[in-house]
């Protein structure tokens, strides 16, 4: 009996050891980036670089935030924040309205609209790069927040998620609202919206990260460094010739680019997992 | 599925749909139609007029060795990313599922890479393997291996695969863990009483029960590798060396924006549309099946 318990205890320690190894391997790239953001350029260009943090944290981050390389990083952080919030809130707003229309009304061409929205799943920005860029350029949206946000704001996934949720809302609620003579929008604002709170929050986490991490679209439409987002701006900090890249400042920027979405995921872990698993159903 | 109770009126639902339909029409359907239209033309170098070539761009592409090579590159790349990221994630999820105390802490420490943008992941891995300053490439040099992904196509492919897989592990881990936790413990205990070892139990009972999750992840990981890894490729290799890492999406970008070959880029967009369409149909069929049980 005791032999079996010992064997299980050994297995448990082995499992812990395996997980710790996994955590360490997965965390290593970001740890090394952090170390690089706390040392000097000289420490890095004479390899091997140190593997413990140095004493230049404040000066590297100050240099990145205040002056950056093409544009100050604080400016890029603001741009990323506007873009991520605009995409997340915009997607939620237009999706919840259209899901409400599709579930709670009967009108001509309802199914056509439903399929049109569904088809957007098949049109990621990556496959319609040039023509979408031309449309944005024709509307004068280059180097603007609207240009960063609008073309990415339609989402079949969010519409479906709200549709699925509305279908589970008991009919009695709408019935009662109708008997009371409530207008549809009153029902939407007073009953449906509060009931959707958790879904909205879960979706917000996923969409905020989606918006923050966009790369190709900002790369195309923000040619002015002042409008760059931080995720796309990092690559622009590399010199084009054979010069050494300013690694401490670049790595400080990489850490700053990673911090907001990582904090959102960790702080809202439960909602994040719910949002991730439900939005893929 | 329809609601029994609905509201009357036609104007309000159209107004509610308007924002989404307008954005979809202007930024999704119009550009997609433009891509289809432009794929039938070759613009002259001054952009003044375009020569109608019908399916000419397509027949050129399908015999173009560079395009066919890009197809092959994409297949190798997405196959490797899918296998590497799913295998590592499954291994971690199986271990995390065995832990009762403290599994939350491990989960937190394993899910954060999801939030790191693929483009940032690219920069992190580029830094470790940079031929002149990278820590890993330096130690490889000490061991006698001369790492240079800037010149060596296989090393370039290896690096973009590892960086793309790294940023995908968390996602796969969460789905595998949810799948494992949904398997009733009584099934596994019954097998344990019968004396089946852990790995035997895993391959004969657990893995088959996970197959819906595995199949779902196979499809979404291929979609990820096809379309969402642009940032990794652009930051690490820019498609090189000698186009060794030019996946299809990267080629649409480089031919359309860098090479200004608009007809070809549009035709490539149309081919990619068909690829996404097929993948979406596979995914959707799977969703339907899941709804049934």
């Amino acid at each position: 009996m005791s032999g079996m318990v010992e064997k299980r205890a050994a297995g448990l320690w082995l499992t812990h050891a395996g997980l710790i190894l996994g955590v360490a391997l997965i965390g290593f790239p970001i740890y090394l980036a952090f170390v690089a953001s706390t040392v000097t350029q000289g420490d890095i260009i004479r390899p091997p670089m140190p593997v413990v943090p140095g004493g230049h944290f404040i000066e590297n981050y100050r240099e990145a935030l205040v002056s950056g390389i093409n544009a100050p990083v604080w400016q890029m952080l603001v741009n990323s924040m506007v873009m991520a919030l605009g995409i997340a809130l915009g997607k939620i707003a237009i999706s919840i309205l259209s899901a409400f229309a599709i579930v709670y009304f009967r009108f001509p061409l309802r199914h056509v609209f439903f399929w049109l929205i569904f088809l957007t799943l098949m049109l990621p920005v990556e496959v319609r790069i040039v023509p979408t860029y031309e449309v944005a350029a024709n509307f004068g949206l280059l180097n603007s927040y609207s240009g960063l946000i609008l073309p990415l704001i339609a989402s079949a996934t969010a519409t479906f998620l709200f549709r699925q949720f509305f279908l589970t809302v008991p009919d009695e609620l709408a019935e009662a609202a109708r008997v009371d003579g409530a207008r549809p929008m009153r029902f939407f604002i007073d009953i449906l919206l509060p009931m959707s709170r958790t879904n909205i929050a879960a979706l917000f986490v996923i969409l905020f990260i989606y918006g923050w991490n966009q790369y190709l679209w900002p790369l195309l439409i923000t040619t002015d460094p002042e409008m760059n987002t931080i995720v796309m701006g990092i690559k622009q900090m590399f010199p084009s010739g054979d010069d050494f890249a300013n690694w401490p400042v670049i790595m400080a920027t990489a850490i700053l680019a990673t911090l907001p979405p990582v904090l959102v995921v960790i702080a809202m872990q439960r909602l994040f997992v719910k949002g991730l698993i439900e939005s893929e159903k | 599925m329809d609601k029994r109770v609905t509201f009357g009126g036609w104007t309000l639902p159209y107004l509610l749909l308007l924002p989404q339909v307008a954005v979809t029409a202007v930024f999704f359907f119009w550009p997609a139609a433009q891509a289809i239209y432009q794929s039938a033309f070759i613009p002259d170098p001054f952009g003044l007029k375009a020569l109608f070539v019908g399916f000419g761009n397509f027949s050129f592409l399908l015999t173009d060795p560079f395009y066919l090579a890009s197809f092959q590159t994409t297949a190798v790349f997405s196959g490797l990313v899918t296998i590497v990221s799913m295998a590592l994630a499954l291994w971690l999820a199986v271990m995390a599922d065995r832990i009762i105390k403290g599994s939350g802490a491990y989960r937190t420490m394993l899910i954060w890479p999801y939030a790191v943008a693929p483009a940032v992941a690219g920069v992190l891995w580029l830094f470790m393997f940079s031929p002149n300053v990278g820590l890993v490439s330096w130690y490889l040099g000490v061991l006698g291996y001369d790492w240079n992904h800037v010149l060596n196509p296989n090393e370039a492919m290896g690096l973009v695969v590892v960086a793309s897989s790294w940023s995908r592990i968390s996602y796969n881990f969460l789905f595998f863990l949810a799948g494992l936790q949904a398997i009733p413990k009584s099934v596994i205990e019954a097998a344990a009483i019968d004396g089946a070892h852990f790995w035997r139990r895993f391959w004969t009972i657990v893995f088959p029960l996970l197959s819906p999750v595995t199949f779902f992840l196979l499809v979404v990981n291929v979609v990820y590798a096809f379309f969402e890894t642009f940032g990794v490729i652009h930051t690490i290799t820019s498609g090189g060396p000698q186009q060794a890492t030019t996946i299809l999406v990267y080629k649409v970008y480089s031919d359309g924006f860098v090479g200004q070959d608009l007809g070809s880029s549009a035709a490539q967009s149309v081919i990619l549309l068909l690829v996404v369409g097929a993948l979406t149909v596979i995914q959707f069929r799977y969703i339907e099946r899941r709804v049934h049980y």
Side-chain angles (χ1 to χ4, degrees):
Chain A
M1 193 64 203
S2 73
M4 193 172 156
V5 172
E6 273 164 31
K7 218 169 125 190
R8 291 194 56 163
L12 193 64
W13 280 114
L14 217 61
T15 310
H16 276 290
L19 279 168
I20 290 167
L21 180 72
V23 166
L25 282 177
I26 286 179
F28 187 69
I30 205 89
Y31 172 75
L32 204 63
F34 177 72
V35 171
S37 73
T38 61
V39 298
T40 62
Q41 174 76 339
D43 293 330
I44 291 174
I45 60 174
R46 282 187 300 275
M49 64 170 280
V51 288
V52 287
H56 300 267
F57 175 87
I58 292 175
E59 85 187 53
N60 290 335
Y61 281 80
R62 183 187 292 143
E63 187 186 340
L65 283 167
V66 175
S67 43
I69 290 175
N70 304 308
V73 169
W74 72 261
Q75 176 79 58
M76 302 200 288
L77 277 169
V78 170
N79 296 340
S80 283
M81 192 59 81
V82 172
M83 180 185 190
L85 287 176
I87 289 176
L89 298 176
K91 271 192 186 226
I92 289 171
I94 70 174
S95 301
I96 201 168
L97 291 177
S98 54
F100 177 54
I102 283 173
V103 172
Y104 280 97
F105 293 85
R106 294 287 164 273
F107 52 92
L109 302 178
R110 189 170 68 104
H111 289 284
V112 174
F113 283 115
F114 180 75
W115 283 102
L116 281 180
I117 293 170
F118 175 74
L119 275 177
T120 56
L121 270 184
M122 299 194 187
L123 301 169
V125 70
E126 284 79 7
V127 308
R128 48 190 170 83
I129 301 172
V130 178
T132 312
Y133 170 84
E134 285 168 355
V135 170
N138 289 338
F139 278 109
L141 295 176
L142 302 186
N143 291 314
S144 74
Y145 287 133
S146 334
L148 281 170
I149 295 167
L150 282 178
L152 300 177
I153 215 173
S155 163
T157 321
T159 312
F160 287 152
L161 187 69
F162 285 124
R163 174 180 168 268
Q164 290 306 108
F165 174 67
F166 290 164
L167 287 172
T168 66
V169 171
D171 277 345
E172 287 72 22
L173 291 174
E175 188 75 71
R178 246 181 21 181
V179 170
D180 289 348
R183 292 173 163 278
M185 287 317 284
R186 269 266 77 86
F187 169 70
F188 176 75
I189 291 166
D190 291 345
I191 295 170
L192 228 39
L193 214 48
M195 287 182 81
S196 312
R197 264 197 324 251
T198 322
N199 282 296
I200 292 176
L203 207 52
F204 176 82
V205 178
I206 300 296
L207 295 177
F208 178 84
I209 295 165
Y210 164 85
W212 186 275
N213 288 349
Q214 283 301 313
Y215 185 76
L216 176 59
W217 188 244
L219 180 70
L220 299 184
I221 76 148
T222 64
T223 46
D224 174 4
E226 302 272 305
M227 282 304 294
N228 286 356
T229 64
I230 187 163
V231 167
M232 62 103 13
I234 295 175
K235 162 89 176 172
Q236 315 295 316
M237 298 168 102
F238 286 91
S240 49
D242 289 332
D243 298 342
F244 274 107
N246 188 347
W247 286 107
V249 170
I250 291 177
M251 285 303 159
T253 310
I255 297 286
L256 290 169
T258 301
L259 222 46
V262 166
L263 289 180
V264 167
V265 162
I266 291 177
M268 302 171 87
Q269 202 177 131
R270 218 168 271 278
L271 283 170
F272 161 67
V273 175
K274 176 182 159 67
L276 191 70
I277 291 181
E278 293 197 351
S279 63
E280 291 290 0
K281 269 187 194 159
Chain B
M1 276 244 278
D2 276 332
K3 276 262 181 239
R4 195 168 41 79
V5 182
T6 54
F7 294 99
W10 286 3
T11 338
L12 183 61
Y14 286 125
L15 283 176
L16 292 169
L17 277 168
L18 185 67
Q20 178 144 22
V21 170
V23 171
T24 306
V26 173
F27 293 109
F28 286 71
F29 289 112
W30 174 248
Q34 282 285 305
I36 294 171
Y37 177 77
Q38 287 171 357
S39 71
F41 292 89
I42 298 178
D44 74 13
F46 307 103
L48 297 176
K49 57 177 189 286
L51 180 68
F52 179 78
V53 292
F55 288 102
N57 284 319
F58 291 96
S59 51
F60 178 78
L61 277 175
L62 296 176
T63 53
D64 176 15
F66 289 114
Y67 192 64
L68 297 177
S70 172
F71 247 107
Q72 204 183 340
T73 306
T74 311
V76 171
F77 172 75
S78 45
L80 287 174
V81 169
T82 303
I83 291 168
V84 171
S85 65
M86 281 178 68
L88 286 174
L90 181 59
W91 178 64
L92 291 168
V94 167
M95 287 192 298
D97 185 47
R98 295 185 73 186
I99 304 250
I100 296 144
K101 256 187 174 165
S103 68
Y106 284 120
R107 195 176 75 168
T108 307
M109 285 186 285
L110 290 170
I111 63 173
W112 62 265
Y114 175 86
V116 180
V120 175
V123 173
L124 300 182
W125 285 87
L126 174 68
F127 179 58
M128 290 195 293
F129 282 88
S130 155
N132 52 21
V133 303
L135 188 70
V136 179
S137 52
W138 191 83
Y139 278 107
L140 284 174
V142 170
L143 296 175
Y145 187 88
D146 186 18
W147 174 276
N148 194 338
H149 67 266
V150 182
L151 300 175
N152 183 318
N154 290 330
E155 290 172 5
M157 177 58 93
L159 190 55
V160 291
V161 165
V162 171
S164 307
S165 306
W166 179 82
S167 56
R168 196 60 180 177
I169 285 179
S170 316
Y171 181 94
N172 295 341
F173 168 79
L174 279 172
F175 276 88
F176 274 134
L177 187 62
L180 287 168
Q181 288 174 343
I183 295 173
K185 290 289 169 269
S186 57
V187 176
I188 294 164
E189 275 161 18
I193 290 168
D194 284 348
H197 289 297
F198 176 76
W199 285 111
R200 198 180 148 71
R201 289 201 306 268
F202 178 76
W203 288 115
T204 56
I205 301 167
V206 176
F207 193 68
L209 285 173
L210 269 184
S211 63
V213 180
T214 310
F215 181 72
F216 164 77
L217 286 178
L218 273 177
V219 178
V220 296
N221 279 295
V222 169
V223 173
Y224 161 79
F226 261 68
F227 301 104
E228 288 162 47
T229 50
F230 177 88
V232 176
I233 308 266
H234 193 245
T235 49
I236 299 184
T237 64
S238 294
Q242 296 113 48
Q243 306 208 22
T245 53
T246 300
I247 60 170
L248 291 168
V249 166
Y250 195 83
K251 196 164 164 59
V252 176
Y253 163 80
S254 65
D255 287 354
F257 274 89
V258 187
Q260 295 284 316
D261 186 354
L262 295 180
S264 172
S265 174
Q268 292 178 36
S269 288
V270 173
I271 293 173
L272 275 181
L273 280 180
L274 298 177
V275 174
V276 200
L279 287 170
T280 313
V281 169
I282 296 174
Q283 205 173 336
F284 198 61
R285 293 210 129 179
Y286 162 73
I287 293 164
E288 274 182 325
R289 223 180 52 192
R290 206 155 66 155
V291 169
H292 282 300
Y293 68 83

